[in-house]
Amino acid sequence: MQEILDLRQEHDILREDRTLGESTMKLTKTSTFSGEQHTYTLNCTEHEFDSREAAWKGGAWIHHAFPSPRFSADDREFIMSGIIPAEWDAYMDALDAEFDSDGDILDQ
């Protein structure tokens, strides 16, 4: 059974315990690209996430607060912006389609 542990409207964050294991949590955020809500699994507990998030919001760089290899660049991007890898890839593919191999804008 899913149990909603914490709803934080300030950051559009919904945390759920989906019994993925003792050291995983789900984080739901609104994408700054699309405005859609995405849910992402992080390799940490809610308590650990809260302390790492506090360090980041307290001024630590995101890659120090959520270090590799435990947290990937995709994890950090999602934490900051709510953008999932598939959404980022689709955006980059669309952007690439606008330029030729020399980096010049294609005529439309």
Side-chain angles (χ1 to χ4, degrees), residues 4-60:
I4 297 177
L5 298 176
D6 190 17
L7 176 61
R8 298 186 181 181
Q9 295 176 354
E10 178 182 351
H11 300 289
D12 290 330
I13 295 176
L14 173 67
R15 297 192 186 127
E16 301 174 359
D17 176 8
R18 296 195 180 210
T19 62
L20 295 174
E22 292 181 15
S23 63
T24 57
M25 67 169 274
K26 293 267 188 182
L27 181 64
T28 300
K29 294 190 71 162
T30 302
S31 168
T32 57
F33 270 2
S34 66
E36 295 178 20
Q37 277 198 336
H38 300 290
T39 300
Y40 194 86
T41 301
L42 293 170
N43 186 27
C44 64
T45 63
E46 183 179 9
H47 176 73
E48 180 183 3
F49 178 84
D50 287 343
S51 65
R52 290 179 181 280
E53 182 184 42
W56 171 50
K57 291 191 181 235

